[in-house]
Amino acid sequence: MSTSGRRPFPLFAILGVVAVVAVIGVAVKLQQPSSKESASVAEALSPEAAAKQATVTIKHAQGTSVVPLNPQRVIVFDLAALDILQALGVEVVGVAGDQFPLHLAPFADAKYPRMGTLFEPDYEALHAARPDLIITGGRSSAKYASLARIAPTVDVPMGGVHYIDTVVANTQMLAHIFGKEEKARELVDGLRQSLAKLKETTASRGKGLVVLVTGGRISAYGPGSRFGVLHEDFGVPVAAEGLNASLHGEAIGSEFIREKNPDWLFVIDRDASMGQQGGAKQVLDNELVRQTTAWTKGQVVYLEPLNAYLIGGGIQAVSRLRDQVAEAYSARVP
């Protein structure tokens, strides 16, 4: 057999293999994006991926927690924290409790599911809400540990000796979680300026006494107490020195009020703040209290109960309380 008869087969085979390889190469090239296209895809995905992974470490009343940066599903068990979040422009997906002051009234709407009370969480509702952040504080602080097992949780400190400093620190802490630092600075600067202005008035307008009335009983509060903000930060001179700074104040009677004879009497009706029939005016309207300078001059101020008692350390609640006191002083020209 001649060699010329065997040459065509290998040649055609080689040409066929080359053609197949060329086709596979084209197919692979078509399936693989260019380096430029890959970069574009990476750029499109990286912000979302980074957002999911971004966290921030927060120091709070019960330790330190690593929480998502700018969380989207926030559950709040503290009205002071809810007050601050509203002021910062942060939305929440669930709240606790059923008593809200006027400025927090939108949260009474059914669009905000109830997660229980300020004292006792509804764990079934909480699990269904799938939170990525839970906020406790005040009345709900005792449940911090159990809630922290469900989702990252921070506990907002209560005010006391350094009341306004605590309000400011809480505002800054929550602002840091949600990237609202600039808004927080605006709120804090406004609060501090308004307090400085109020002090210019209160310092020279006589001494004051803060009392809480509940169930027919009276308690007095001085500097360092939960209502000491009126003396320490609002600048009202103290009518009764050395009062017990405990959470429940110092139990007193009408004789004590008459003896101290305050120029201003600031009253918190606890029963009214809890949605019950308030009786503070009836309790204080007696022969002894009517002899005080505060009563005779019409300088008995019934503080808005929900702001003063139920919320306390919210930056809006403090500002509203400050405005109420300022209005009372402006209404009584010296």
Side-chain angles (χ1 to χ4, degrees):
M1 184 179 293
S2 65
T3 57
S4 60
R6 288 180 291 151
R7 284 177 183 170
F9 177 77
L11 178 60
F12 288 131
I14 292 171
L15 290 175
V17 170
V18 170
V20 170
V21 170
V23 171
I24 293 174
V26 171
V28 170
K29 184 175 182 181
L30 289 173
Q31 292 177 29
Q32 292 179 341
S34 67
S35 59
K36 185 175 181 180
E37 290 171 337
S38 298
S40 298
V41 171
E43 288 174 4
L45 295 177
S46 59
E48 180 180 354
K52 290 181 179 179
Q53 296 176 1
T55 59
V56 59
T57 301
I58 298 296
K59 292 181 65 175
H60 53 85
Q62 299 205 39
T64 302
S65 297
V66 177
V67 306
L69 185 62
N70 196 23
Q72 300 300 302
R73 299 191 62 78
V74 183
I75 303 295
V76 185
F77 283 90
D78 179 58
L79 291 181
L82 188 63
D83 174 296
I84 294 171
L85 292 179
Q86 184 192 57
L88 292 172
V90 173
E91 188 58 270
V92 305
V93 298
V95 297
D98 54 11
Q99 290 287 323
F100 300 95
L102 184 61
H103 68 285
L104 296 183
F107 294 104
D109 193 281
K111 72 182 256 188
Y112 298 101
R114 292 297 172 273
M115 297 292 121
T117 70
L118 296 177
F119 296 93
E120 188 61 41
D122 181 336
Y123 291 101
E124 183 177 352
L126 192 57
H127 281 288
R130 297 176 292 106
D132 49 12
L133 177 67
I134 300 172
I135 302 175
T136 61
R139 296 164 179 83
S140 61
S141 289
K143 300 298 181 179
Y144 169 82
S146 60
L147 293 172
R149 289 194 288 269
I150 298 173
T153 304
V154 296
D155 189 55
V156 176
M158 291 181 64
V161 178
H162 305 291
Y163 195 95
I164 294 300
D165 289 341
T166 302
V167 172
V168 169
N170 289 340
T171 302
Q172 294 171 336
M173 175 184 73
L174 294 176
H176 187 48
I177 296 174
F178 296 94
K180 298 282 188 176
E181 289 88 350
E182 184 175 347
K183 180 61 176 178
R185 282 192 292 272
E186 176 187 326
L187 292 169
V188 169
D189 288 346
L191 176 61
R192 291 204 184 280
Q193 291 171 14
S194 68
L195 291 176
K197 185 176 181 180
L198 177 61
K199 284 183 176 182
E200 294 176 359
T201 301
T202 56
S204 59
R205 296 285 297 278
K207 298 179 179 182
L209 178 65
V210 182
V211 299
L212 179 143
V213 180
T214 181
R217 301 182 301 274
I218 309 172
S219 298
Y221 293 80
S225 71
R226 64 190 298 187
F227 305 120
V229 61
L230 276 87
H231 298 299
E232 297 158 347
D233 300 292
F234 290 10
V236 178
V238 178
E241 300 284 353
L243 288 173
N244 190 331
S246 71
L247 181 63
H248 300 292
E250 184 170 322
I252 64 168
S254 297
E255 297 84 355
F256 181 90
I257 299 175
R258 171 64 187 89
E259 177 188 342
K260 299 304 177 182
N261 190 27
D263 300 290
W264 293 86
L265 185 61
F266 299 97
V267 183
I268 301 163
D269 190 333
R270 179 189 179 278
D271 296 338
S273 74
M274 304 304 292
Q276 303 169 13
Q277 185 65 38
K281 292 184 179 180
Q282 290 79 8
V283 171
L284 295 172
D285 188 2
N286 60 65
E287 182 179 354
L288 293 172
V289 177
R290 285 197 296 266
Q291 296 177 41
T292 63
T293 301
W295 191 279
T296 57
K297 287 190 174 182
Q299 294 178 168
V300 178
V301 183
Y302 292 88
L303 300 175
E304 206 290 311
L306 289 176
N307 275 340
Y309 179 79
L310 197 57
I311 297 185
I315 195 165
Q316 295 183 93
V318 171
S319 295
R320 286 170 173 265
L321 191 62
R322 177 264 169 211
D323 291 346
Q324 185 182 0
V325 172
E327 183 179 350
Y329 276 76
S330 65
R332 308 300 303 175
V333 180

